[in-house]
């Protein structure tokens, strides 16, 4: 394969930048642009030994004094000869350096091309390759930990048993379809069914955890809903730690949806403070109320804010109807700092089964309880983020299709259909697992994955 090069660190001024060169000519290309400092010889490199020297521009003049290292293939990230130049991070210097490197025989790398070469050389499976993209894009601690574990091969280890057992089942089904004298015995059927359902069960647990984990890795749209003056804007400001929304004792001040971000209980929230829900003749406020309802309807989470200082009324119930349209709801009884508050959550609200948090947006009391309620809502305690969840839609789809096919195979077997029916489904399930790790992925899938990387990765 031809030799490629690119800046692997982020562009822009920095203490250091790393340029990566990969391919059979990597060392020769390095030799044309780099002179080691201590010897008259143009370049004297030993594998994995950092060398200090001069970096030369395309015109042969010195442009930096960087360090360089050579990883001799196959003991490198891509499996090919790889050289790295660790130079100073000036955009002007990098563009001169890359021009010199391209002039010396490398060509610019395409997005994701280093990782794609690593995958093609068998250094990484597809899940591990995608984990690099996820690690780079990770915005939360949970996402970092999980992607790092996936990069270390956690999913391959977790699903290795499932793969082997499905492979054994496929082999058995194939034996009986290929050799008419072979047959699945009466005793074998329940054993095979339970192996199929056990494999499906492992996949469906992974699917369930992965869907739950999306809240922690991708974040949640969270609408703050309630009657005017319940303290929605105050809550929004408390949660995001700044005066984002206007707080006044006047009802009906928030007209448009005000957005901000906060991290609560490990869940990144995209907060939306909405107009108080009530009957309004004011056309602007009425428009705001419609937007509030739409925000709640599309949100993953609604915080229904009730005012502990006043009994629940028609407006709260209407707000509750809007909040219930979100996937999940938490009831926030606000203003609990007011004197003589003995607030009883009314039966209509209690019957929703949503968790109730008593707090004061003014003093901040109850903040920890709200944080805990959010955490528990999205994680019943089973998420470890040690590679036990997948976040890519492609991976989730492969797992889901494999699980469904395994259950179809078990069903066919249980219902007394001929073994070739179960064989088709079991083979499909195995193919989907192979595709997951890239053992059988089509060129299109592979192209699509690496296209989504940036240059230098
Ligand atoms: P919104 O209309 O629901 O957004 O309510 P605001 O956040 O604008 O608050 C309305 C009024 O209630 C303001 O005067 C706030 O200072 C007051 N308020 C908000 N939260 C609390 C609270 O927890 N305790 C008390 N005592 N007053 C609050």
């Amino acid at each position: 394969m031809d030799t490629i090069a690119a800046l692997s660190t982020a562009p822009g001024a920095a203490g250091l930048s790393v340029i990566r060169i990969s391919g059979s000519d990597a060392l020769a290309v390095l030799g044309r642009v780099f002179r080691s400092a201590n010897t008259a010889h143009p370049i004297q490199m030993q594998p994995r030994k950092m060398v200090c020297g001069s970096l030369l521009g395309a015109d042969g003049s010195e442009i930096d004094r960087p360090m360089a290292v050579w990883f001799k293939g196959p003991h490198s990230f891509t499996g090919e000869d790889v050289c790295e130049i660790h130079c100073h991070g000036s955009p002007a210097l990098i563009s001169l350096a890359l021009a010199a490197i391209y002039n010396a025989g490398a060509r610019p790398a395409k997005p994701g091309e280093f990782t794609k070469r690593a995958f093609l050389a068998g250094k990484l499976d597809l899940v591990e390759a995608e984990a690099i993209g996820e690690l780079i894009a990770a915005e939360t601690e949970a996402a970092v930990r999980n992607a790092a574990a996936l990069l270390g091969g956690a999913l391959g280890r977790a699903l290795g048993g499932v793969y082997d057992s499905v492979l054994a089942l496929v082999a058995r089904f194939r034996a009986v379809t290929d050799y008419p004298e072979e047959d699945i015995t009466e005793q074998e059927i329940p054993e095979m069914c339970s192996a199929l359902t056990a494999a499906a069960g492992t996949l469906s647990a992974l699917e369930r955890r992965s869907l739950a984990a999306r809240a922690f890795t991708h974040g949640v749209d969270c609408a703050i809903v309630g009657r005017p003056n319940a303290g929605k804007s105050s809550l929004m400001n408390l949660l995001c730690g700044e005066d984002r929304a206007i707080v006044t004792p006047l009802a009906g001040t928030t007209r448009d949806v005000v957005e901000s971000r906060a991290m609560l209980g490990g869940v990144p929230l995209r907060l939306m403070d909405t107009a108080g829900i009530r009957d309004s003749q004011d056309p602007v406020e009425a428009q705001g109320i419609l937007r509030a309802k739409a925000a709640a309807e599309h949100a993953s989470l609604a915080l229904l804010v009730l005012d502990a200082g006043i009994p629940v009324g028609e407006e709260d119930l209407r707000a509750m109807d809007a909040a219930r349209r979100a996937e999940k709801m938490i009831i926030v009884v606000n203003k609990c700092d007011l004197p003589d508050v003995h607030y009883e959550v009314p039966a209509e609200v209690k019957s929703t089964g949503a968790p109730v948090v008593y707090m004061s947006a003014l003093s901040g009391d109850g903040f920890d309880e709200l944080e805990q309620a959010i955490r528990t809502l999205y994680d019943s305690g089973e998420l470890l983020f040690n590679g036990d969840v997948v976040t890519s839609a492609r991976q989730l789809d492969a797992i889901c299709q494999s699980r469904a096919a395994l259950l179809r195979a078990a069903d066919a077997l249980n219902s007394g259909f001929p073994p070739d029916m179960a064989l088709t489904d079991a083979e499909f399930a195995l193919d989907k697992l192979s595709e997951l790790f890239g053992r059988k992925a089509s060129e299109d899938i592979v192209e699509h994955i690496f296209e989504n990387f940036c240059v230098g990765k």
Side-chain angles (χ1 to χ4, degrees), residues 61-381:
S61 64
E62 184 180 60
I63 53 173
D64 194 14
R65 303 227 108 201
M67 305 280 284
V69 61
W70 167 43
F71 299 97
K72 190 169 167 13
H75 307 293
S76 71
F77 175 62
T78 59
E80 306 170 322
D81 267 12
V82 170
C83 293
E84 286 178 5
I85 303 173
H86 295 228
C87 52
H88 293 104
S90 135
L93 159 63
I94 297 301
S95 91
L96 284 171
L98 285 174
I101 290 166
Y102 300 147
N103 191 46
R107 71 154 169 84
K110 295 190 193 114
E113 204 171 3
F114 292 101
T115 317
K116 185 178 175 186
R117 287 187 176 197
F119 165 68
L120 294 175
K123 291 271 166 184
L124 302 166
D125 67 31
L126 215 43
V127 171
E128 290 162 359
E130 281 174 300
I132 294 178
E134 283 169 23
L135 192 55
I136 292 165
E139 286 182 23
T140 65
E141 201 184 308
V144 167
R145 279 193 280 119
N146 197 64
L150 290 178
L151 180 55
L155 195 65
R157 287 191 295 278
L159 295 189
V162 172
Y163 187 87
D164 291 346
S165 94
V166 180
L167 187 66
L169 287 158
V170 165
R172 183 74 189 109
F173 282 130
R174 201 174 281 152
V176 293
T177 38
D178 288 355
Y179 302 99
E181 65 278 13
E182 283 268 342
D183 207 359
I184 293 178
T185 61
E186 278 291 312
Q187 306 94 288
E188 249 185 303
I189 291 180
E191 277 170 31
M192 292 181 89
C193 278
S194 70
L196 286 164
T197 46
T202 307
L203 296 182
S204 91
L206 173 60
E207 240 179 295
R208 203 186 50 244
R209 286 195 307 272
S210 300
L211 291 173
R214 288 185 72 81
F216 294 89
T217 51
H218 289 65
V220 158
D221 291 326
C222 171
I224 306 178
V225 185
R227 63 151 65 204
N229 259 357
K232 299 178 295 302
S233 301
S234 306
L235 180 64
M236 159 94 144
N237 292 345
L238 175 76
L239 299 185
C240 68
E242 57 174 324
D243 278 345
R244 190 69 189 78
I246 299 170
V247 173
T248 71
L250 301 174
T253 18
T254 307
R255 303 293 184 86
D256 221 334
V257 175
V258 181
E259 297 183 352
S260 190
R261 282 170 181 264
M263 174 81 87
L264 253 84
V267 180
L269 299 180
R270 290 177 290 276
L271 294 168
M272 292 168 283
D273 180 20
T274 66
I277 292 178
R278 63 169 172 181
D279 254 340
S280 173
Q281 301 311 316
D282 176 345
V284 181
E285 191 184 354
Q287 202 32 254
I289 293 169
L290 282 180
R291 288 185 186 191
K293 290 181 177 169
E297 192 167 339
H298 294 112
S300 309
L301 173 65
L303 301 179
L304 172 66
V305 186
L306 301 174
D307 185 332
I310 27 179
V312 163
E314 181 59 24
E315 289 168 346
D316 297 300
L317 296 181
R318 271 205 259 156
M320 183 182 76
D321 282 342
R324 286 181 79 169
R325 299 203 193 142
E327 280 166 34
K328 293 174 191 276
M329 171 166 81
I330 293 179
I331 292 149
V332 177
V333 179
N334 189 35
K335 306 197 187 180
C336 290
D337 58 289
L338 289 173
D340 304 322
V341 169
H342 303 290
Y343 191 81
E344 260 296 311
V345 176
E348 300 96 306
V349 179
K350 231 185 225 166
S351 67
T352 62
V356 182
V357 176
Y358 295 87
M359 67 180 296
S360 163
L362 206 62
S363 70
D365 280 353
F367 183 93
D368 294 348
E369 286 76 4
L370 178 60
E371 191 157 30
Q372 191 51 48
I374 291 175
R375 175 146 209 123
T376 330
L377 206 55
Y378 287 99
D379 177 14
S380 52

